Each structure stands twice: as C-alpha cells, then as structure tokens.
Amino acid sequence: MSSYYIDPFGCVKNQVDAENMMAHLNKAGWENVTDAELAELIIVNSCGFIEDAKQESINAVLEWRKLYPKKKILLAGCLAQRYEKELSLELTEADGFMGVGDPAQIVKKASIFAKTKSIDSVNLQTGERPLLSLPGSAYVKISEGCNNRCSYCAIPLIRGSLVSRTIQDIAEECRALLNRGVRELCIIGQDIGAFGADTIAPNESPAVKLPELLNKISCLKGDFWVRLLYIHPDHFPLEILDIMEKDKRFLPYFDIPFQHAASNILAAMNRKGTAEKYLALLKTIRSRLPHAIIRSTFLLGFPGETEEDFAELLNFQKKAKLDWLGCFTFSREEGTAAFSMKNRVNAKTAKTRKQIIEQQQIPITEKNMDRFTSETLDVLVEERIAANTEINADSDLWLGRLYCQAPDIDGAAVIVCNNGEKLIAGTFAKCKVTARRGFDLEVQVVV
C-alpha cells in the first residue's frame, strides 16, 4: 500500500479541499500517515490569495524537500491552480502540481508516484471525508468561486465564478456529519450570502437562497451549532435573522468582511457599501439578536488610501465596536483590477496603519468579551491541556470554545475542572464564565 502525508496549509476553504483529497486517496487504497517520515508522497495544500501566503506555500515545499530529498512532493491547491506553468519551470523541488476544482483528480496525480497499484477513481458518499478540523467541528462548503469581483481579489481568477451546491446535497452532508458525532457545522464559501444566486433563472427575482438552505438544515434533529462564516456586507440576507430568532442552534455569530469605510476606497474596491450602510446593518443585527457577535476584516494600504481615508476607517472601527477583527495589507495580484492602480501606498505606511488598527481593537475586543463574565453557556470541548495541580490533584484544564469563538481565529475558552469532572472532546459542557484572560475566557464546569 502506498502512503501519503498531507500538509493542510492555508485557510479553512483549503482545509476542506485537503479533506476531500484525503477521502479520495483513502478510498483508492492509499494510507494516510501522520508522520511525513513514513510517507512516500508529501502533499502541500497551498494558498495563493496574497503574496505572503504564496511565499509561505513555496517555502513549505522547499522545507519539505530539504528534510526529505528523496521523497515525492506534490503541490496542490490555489497556488498550483494559478501558477502551474510558471512553477513547473521554477519550483523544481516539487515533483507535481494539482489545482482546485476536482479533488478526485488527486488519485490520478498521486498514482504517478505510487509503488503499488491503486484504484483510478472512486465514488464517495457525502460527508464521509476525513476531518482535519477541531474535535466536534466540521466545515461545510456550500459554494465555490465568487461573482463579487472585488478589485483586489484573485479568488475568481483561481476558483472561478460562483457555483452553488444543491440544497439537498448540502443537507445530506450535514446529516451525515451529525451522525458521525459532529456538533458544530461551520457553513463556508467565498461569500455564503450569495449562495444560490447562480441558479436563479433570468425571469426570477434576484433573491439568494441562503435562507432556504438554513430552513432545510433547521429540519435536522439534534443538539448542534450552525456557524455562518463569510457574508459580504453589500448583500447581507436579512431573512436569515428570522431563522436565527426561531432556532437557537444557529449561532448569532457573523463574519462580515467590511474591508474599509471610506466611500472612495470602497468604490475603488468595487464594493457598493458605505460606512453609514454598514453601521446600519450592524444596528439591525444587534437589535434583532442582542447577543450577536461580529467578526470582520479590514484591508489597509489600498491604492489611493489617504490619511483622511484612514481616519474614516478608525472612526468606523470605534463606532462599529466589532467583537473580533483581522487586518491585512494590500497585496498586488496579477490579473486583478487593482494591480495597475496608481497612487500606491508605501508598504511601511500600510503596515503602520495596520498596527494602529490592531492596537485600537484590543480594548474594544476585551470590553466586548467582559460582558460574558458570570454567564452560563455551552462550551464545545476540544482537548485536555494540563493537570491544574495548583488547585488540587483532580483538577484539569481543557480548551474549548463558546459560541462567540470561531475555530482557529478567535480566542478560546479555558475550562477549569475543579471537582474531577470528566469531559469528552467534541461534546458540549455547561460552563460558567469566571474571568477574561486577555482575549480568552476562563470557565468552570457547572455540575
């Protein structure tokens, strides 16, 4: 049997790609090993969204080649999709390349390096793939590609235009994952707010179908969370708030990438919103769902961004009072409209602005997290980290997450077990928040 090791580099969308590749390889007779030393083939699942991610992907290949000069290395994912021709000439450390779009192709690609004969193609059941996510959690990708065409974004160049899965297929995947013991379904796509827009006939209304999908998921039985990630603010489907009010399993957690607040910068980004519209959206969400958590991203140093534009963004940040915020600086991407834009911002200036935004965000997030102190809430348990011998010999420390904490990107819940409570990774535990420690929350199990 041939063996492989996968380096699941990149964002969560790349992680789902990695899981699907693993599913096809496993079904075709390959053995997945968790130690690269034991593998015949190393697969690097790359990201090609911005320059830093590209370089990290290339560095991963170089580092694996240095460690294992004689092993076969396959570069998969976004970077391979976008630059296969160039990389095949320059990145000779990789033995092969595979883009995105059809994970089943990994079997054919990998068979070139196999020492033993493997199956050429396999049929997979929805939801049976291996999971690289945290215990009890799984990502469900409902669409691929994007039609928004933000001027800085290379995603449509890599993954193409929006293609939505069928509601029935997604619901069956969710059902299968729940039957496997998953307790958190993280719904993802480049922009899940646009889900279904590609399937609407010309004579139909332009409404998207995310609410219809959520209603279908709401029919599933069981105690689980549904977390919605990546909704473009310019066409946020307010109908989903109705569903969330009725079914508390849909977490009031929203990842809304505003990117900026200055109208001229937003227009140059090919985004239709304004600071006023975005603040109004936040007010609507919070009025309907008082416990709502908002995560967003800001892009600093976009071409033409002046000190006045940056001041507008700082003012927006203060008014928006976002719970979580990620920042990145502009990366010139070939083929995008912003690549040739004039009035580029100095990299040092962009980095300084990013740092100012991040520093201003710290007290905002800390204050927002303080409001959970003394609350009793469900925590999704992830892993035991240590024995808390300072309290007593039977005391354990575990990591987990509250509804306000998305996997991998937000703070964590540090669970203190003082009375010998037995926790199980991937399940819920009722806990009381006792303190905030930085961005993390300390909680104690409620007996």
Side-chain angles (χ1 to χ4, degrees):
M1 180 182 291
S2 297
S3 58
Y4 73 94
Y5 171 87
I6 192 158
D7 183 349
F9 175 82
C11 68
V12 295
K13 304 180 192 71
N14 298 53
Q15 180 177 304
V16 175
D17 292 340
E19 292 171 350
N20 286 328
M21 286 190 289
M22 292 172 66
H24 284 282
L25 285 170
N26 295 351
K27 200 75 177 276
W30 285 73
E31 179 186 8
N32 172 230
V33 294
T34 56
D35 184 350
E37 177 71 35
L38 305 176
E40 298 165 31
L41 172 64
I42 296 174
I43 302 170
V44 177
N45 193 37
S46 66
C47 181
F49 180 54
I50 58 177
E51 189 59 38
D52 287 348
K54 294 180 198 174
Q55 194 57 55
E56 287 183 49
S57 300
I58 292 171
N59 289 344
V61 173
L62 298 178
E63 289 168 9
W64 285 121
R65 176 55 68 209
K66 184 177 179 180
L67 281 172
Y68 303 109
K70 296 183 179 180
K71 291 186 185 293
K72 298 299 183 182
I73 299 176
L74 178 70
L75 179 66
C78 293
L79 190 67
Q81 175 75 23
R82 193 175 180 196
Y83 298 108
E84 181 174 355
K85 183 177 179 181
E86 295 86 346
L87 290 171
S88 63
L89 297 174
E90 299 178 17
L91 191 62
T92 56
E93 290 80 3
D95 297 294
F97 302 88
M98 182 183 128
V100 300
D102 185 5
Q105 286 297 310
I106 189 62
V107 176
K108 183 177 180 180
K109 291 279 186 179
S111 65
I112 300 171
F113 312 119
K115 290 183 179 179
T116 56
K117 180 65 177 176
S118 63
I119 303 169
D120 291 331
S121 60
V122 296
N123 293 317
L124 293 174
Q125 298 299 313
T126 300
E128 70 175 9
R129 68 184 189 275
L131 297 177
L132 298 171
S133 45
L134 294 165
S137 183
Y139 293 102
V140 179
K141 188 189 288 188
I142 65 173
S143 63
E144 189 62 274
C146 186
N147 290 345
N148 290 319
R149 298 300 192 271
C150 296
S151 63
Y152 57 85
C153 185
I155 291 297
L157 302 175
I158 300 169
R159 295 184 176 268
S161 298
L162 176 68
V163 178
S164 302
R165 295 171 59 191
T166 66
I167 289 176
Q168 185 62 34
D169 187 43
I170 298 167
E172 285 304 314
E173 178 179 354
C174 291
R175 189 191 310 276
L177 290 169
L178 294 175
N179 288 340
R180 291 171 59 182
V182 168
R183 288 295 169 260
E184 177 184 48
L185 302 171
C186 297
I187 308 300
I188 63 170
Q190 271 69 44
D191 171 19
I192 67 170
F195 172 74
D198 56 310
T199 65
I200 296 170
N203 59 341
E204 288 187 274
S205 65
V208 293
K209 297 187 176 181
L210 182 61
E212 184 180 345
L213 170 63
L214 299 191
N215 275 321
K216 187 73 172 180
I217 295 174
S218 185
C219 294
L220 299 175
K221 304 297 183 183
D223 180 20
F224 59 90
W225 287 349
V226 181
R227 188 183 299 276
L228 307 180
L229 300 175
Y230 322 121
I231 304 179
H232 194 296
D234 292 350
H235 41 75
F236 185 99
L238 292 174
E239 299 90 337
I240 68 175
L241 302 181
D242 299 332
I243 301 167
M244 297 174 123
E245 285 177 325
K246 296 175 184 176
D247 190 339
K248 302 305 180 184
R249 296 177 301 179
F250 291 91
L251 302 181
Y253 181 105
F254 302 90
D255 191 333
I256 309 172
F258 292 118
Q259 308 300 17
H260 217 280
S263 296
N264 59 306
I265 297 299
L266 287 168
M269 289 178 172
N270 195 33
R271 297 168 79 89
K272 312 303 180 187
T274 64
E276 292 73 25
K277 289 181 180 179
Y278 292 165
L279 290 172
L281 173 61
L282 291 174
K283 184 177 180 180
T284 298
I285 292 172
R286 287 165 171 160
S287 66
R288 297 279 301 276
L289 299 167
H291 301 294
I293 293 291
I294 311 291
R295 162 172 274 280
S296 191
T297 52
F298 288 171
L299 195 168
L300 284 306
F302 189 83
E305 183 187 61
T306 64
E307 288 297 335
E308 290 76 17
D309 298 326
F310 179 57
E312 284 192 53
L313 184 58
L314 284 170
N315 186 49
F316 174 80
Q317 182 186 16
K318 292 176 182 177
K319 292 181 178 179
K321 295 182 175 61
L322 302 165
D323 297 281
W324 302 106
L325 178 65
C327 299
F328 63 104
T329 57
F330 174 69
S331 174
R332 291 182 73 219
E333 297 299 318
E334 304 94 334
T336 65
F339 181 80
S340 57
M341 285 185 179
K342 299 179 180 179
N343 300 318
R344 276 184 272 164
V345 177
N346 178 276
K348 184 177 180 181
T349 299
K351 183 178 180 181
T352 298
R353 290 173 179 173
K354 174 178 177 289
Q355 292 171 339
I356 292 171
I357 288 282
E358 289 172 339
Q359 285 299 310
Q360 181 168 278
Q361 184 61 34
I362 291 173
I364 298 174
T365 293
E366 289 180 340
K367 183 177 180 181
N368 286 359
M369 292 301 105
D370 280 338
R371 76 182 191 264
F372 289 100
T373 303
S374 299
E375 291 282 326
T376 298
L377 298 162
D378 285 334
V379 174
L380 182 57
V381 180
E382 292 178 347
E383 62 176 338
R384 180 178 181 269
I385 53 174
N388 192 4
T389 55
E390 291 183 6
I391 300 176
N392 62 61
D394 295 324
S395 181
D396 277 351
L397 292 180
W398 288 67
L399 285 182
R401 287 181 293 107
L402 298 156
Y403 84 88
C404 60
Q405 299 161 327
D408 299 315
I409 52 175
D410 299 332
V414 180
I415 310 167
V416 179
C417 300
N418 291 331
N419 301 301
E421 299 94 345
K422 302 300 181 182
L423 301 182
I424 301 173
T427 65
F428 292 123
K430 190 72 69 177
C431 298
K432 181 177 181 179
V433 181
T434 55
R436 175 182 57 78
R437 309 293 185 192
F439 290 155
D440 296 334
L441 295 172
E442 184 177 297
V443 305
Q444 290 189 350
V445 177
V446 175
V447 179

